[in-house]
Amino acid sequence: MDRSGLIRTAVAVATSSVCLVSGAAGAWAQPGARTAPGGARSTRVDVVQDAKQAAARSLREAYASGQVKGAVAGLSASANEVGMDRLPVGSTSGFRASVASSNSAILAAKGLPASTGNVLQVRLANPRARAALARGVQPLIAAEPSDRRADTLTAYRPDGSAVTLGAKAPADVPVLIVGTDGDRIVAAGTKVMSEGFKAARAQSGAAPTRGRSAPKPQTTAAARAADSPQGKDVTRINDVSLLRSNEEPFWKGGAEAFAVVGGWDKNDKAFAEPSLQMPYLDSTGVAYHPNQNLIDWSHFGYDSADLVFLEEDDGTNYRDLTKAIVDALLTVTGYGTTGIPLANTIMDAIPDKWWTDDTDELDQVYSVSHAAIAGAQNSGAPGLTYTGAGGNISLGLSNAFIPKT
């Protein structure tokens, strides 16, 4: 997809009919070759997709042998999803070893440590079929496609026969989707990124040398703390919404969003703040009120921060993403001298091969100002609302002073 796009392409809604696919029973569809701009194969996406396919095949075989029927039926009485390492399958079946192998492949492809644990899960994609699953109706089992533009899905009955599903969920046939736990991946990934950003800032020397930081208008809380300055000024998220509605296939999960904050330190060097996980931001048209700290102004030499909101994608390797962003920011010195916003620098650092199926980028917000937000609060407003450059995100921000205890 063209990198100038600001939100993933809307998925065309296919018919909801279910039709048999010709071919030998027991066949298991393999993902098609994925190509990046210029024709280069998107290897990491292939590794993750192959691992999900292998895990789905293992689940189908375990279900066909009767080993997980009870556990799968239990999805109808509990959560819609469960970690695949939690399915009560006998150790002699080979299921656990297969899932563990697939999980290890995913962690390696995404640059995550083994301590992340299991990230493979199975979920009931169409909760309306919960009653049918409880009655013992045989489910269809599929691996979640890495290509989010896909408008059809190949699923399999326990006997191995293939079925093609449209983007709308069947009403009476349970569909079990084997995919990744995006929240756990983003939690581990943002930790990797945050540690990398902190290390880069320490190596670059974050101590002020010129003292060019302009004084920021204080909030009431900060003013009260003026005689006891132990603490920090922060900007936090009062409310946030995704505005642009896209037609999504029923098998796709939530947005699994995270944010990267960029700014300039007191030495005029560009840097990135620790990444921010936003596990709640998964539906369009919903106003979320997380009261989540977003920007720690103690690191900034200028009253300006750029925000980039990204979405977890199968092709994302968090270790390499961190290095790419750090290396790109090292080339930017002097506030305003390049004329290029840091958000653009961060987006340009993302390797082209990660933009193969849809853009990971949800939106960007430029030039967030502590002083402007403080001015709004001093006038009696709860804060200031920023709209993303792509028109997809609305962000209500306020300032606060956090005293050190």
Side-chain angles (χ1 to χ4, degrees), residues 226-247:
D227 294 332
S228 179
Q230 293 296 313
K232 61 179 61 178
D233 286 308
V234 300
T235 290
R236 59 180 44 149
I237 303 174
N238 288 343
D239 57 84
V240 58
S241 302
L242 293 176
L243 304 177
R244 187 174 300 165
S245 178
N246 289 326
E247 294 288 353

Side-chain angles (χ1 to χ4, degrees), residues 8-393:
R8 57 182 181 270
T9 304
V11 178
V13 179
T15 61
S16 59
S17 60
V18 178
C19 59
L20 290 177
V21 174
S22 60
W28 194 261
Q30 295 300 317
R34 306 277 310 292
T35 58
R41 186 174 173 82
S42 183
T43 305
R44 286 175 183 143
V45 174
D46 292 335
V47 170
V48 173
Q49 183 63 27
D50 288 348
K52 290 190 292 187
Q53 293 277 11
R57 180 171 60 248
S58 295
L59 177 64
R60 178 185 62 79
E61 292 170 349
Y63 187 95
S65 66
Q67 296 181 72
V68 295
K69 284 186 177 180
V72 167
L75 286 172
S76 64
S78 59
N80 286 337
E81 56 197 29
V82 63
M84 292 193 72
D85 62 330
R86 298 173 64 87
L87 293 175
V89 180
S91 59
T92 60
S93 68
F95 175 83
R96 293 193 183 282
S98 174
V99 170
S101 177
S102 295
N103 190 72
S104 295
I106 292 172
L107 294 182
K110 299 188 71 60
L112 300 176
S115 59
T116 302
N118 175 73
V119 296
L120 278 165
Q121 65 181 14
V122 57
R123 67 177 184 271
L124 179 62
N126 51 343
R128 290 183 304 168
R130 186 184 299 274
L133 186 64
R135 293 195 306 270
V137 173
Q138 286 196 340
L140 299 172
I141 299 173
E144 182 180 45
S146 293
D147 186 349
R148 292 174 181 170
R149 294 177 301 178
D151 56 10
T152 62
L153 175 69
T154 301
Y156 294 84
R157 298 187 179 94
D159 65 7
S161 57
V163 174
T164 295
L165 301 176
K168 291 184 178 179
D172 300 321
V173 181
V175 182
L176 301 180
I177 300 293
V178 172
T180 52
D181 184 342
D183 288 344
R184 174 169 286 194
I185 287 175
V186 171
T190 51
K191 182 179 180 181
V192 168
M193 295 179 72
S194 296
E195 290 172 350
F197 293 157
K198 287 178 182 177
R201 190 167 66 240
Q203 290 173 5
S204 69
T209 60
R210 282 180 281 223
R212 295 176 58 184
S213 180
K216 295 183 285 288
Q218 294 180 319
T219 62
T220 301
R224 286 198 302 266
D227 294 332
S228 179
Q230 293 296 313
K232 61 179 61 178
D233 286 308
V234 300
T235 290
R236 59 180 44 149
I237 303 174
N238 288 343
D239 57 84
V240 58
S241 302
L242 293 176
L243 304 177
R244 187 174 300 165
S245 178
N246 289 326
E247 294 288 353
E248 298 284 9
F250 76 94
W251 55 79
K252 186 183 181 302
E256 297 145 2
F258 61 101
V260 176
V261 180
W264 285 265
D265 66 18
K266 295 177 176 66
N267 294 319
D268 274 8
K269 294 181 179 179
F271 72 97
E273 283 274 88
S275 295
L276 185 74
Q277 185 189 9
M278 307 174 75
Y280 51 85
L281 189 63
D282 59 2
S283 298
T284 58
V286 177
Y288 298 94
H289 302 273
N291 198 36
Q292 184 179 25
N293 291 338
L294 177 66
I295 304 171
D296 178 354
W297 291 100
S298 65
H299 303 151
F300 287 72
Y302 294 89
D303 187 24
S304 179
D306 283 355
L307 315 176
V308 177
F309 295 89
L310 301 170
E311 182 177 3
E312 153 64 13
D313 178 79
D314 279 353
T316 305
N317 180 294
Y318 288 90
R319 183 182 60 248
D320 290 352
L321 175 59
T322 302
K323 185 178 185 302
I325 291 175
V326 167
D327 288 350
L329 293 179
L330 285 175
T331 68
V332 183
T333 58
Y335 174 68
T337 59
T338 64
I340 302 174
L342 284 187
N344 293 15
T345 301
I346 292 170
M347 290 186 292
D348 287 343
I350 301 175
D352 285 342
K353 62 187 175 182
W354 292 357
W355 303 74
T356 53
D357 55 346
D358 68 335
T359 171
D360 295 326
E361 175 198 352
L362 290 174
D363 213 336
Q364 328 85 43
V365 175
Y366 296 103
S367 303
V368 173
S369 165
H370 183 282
I373 297 170
Q377 289 179 262
N378 291 338
S379 298
L384 197 61
T385 297
Y386 289 81
T387 300
N392 184 46
I393 197 164

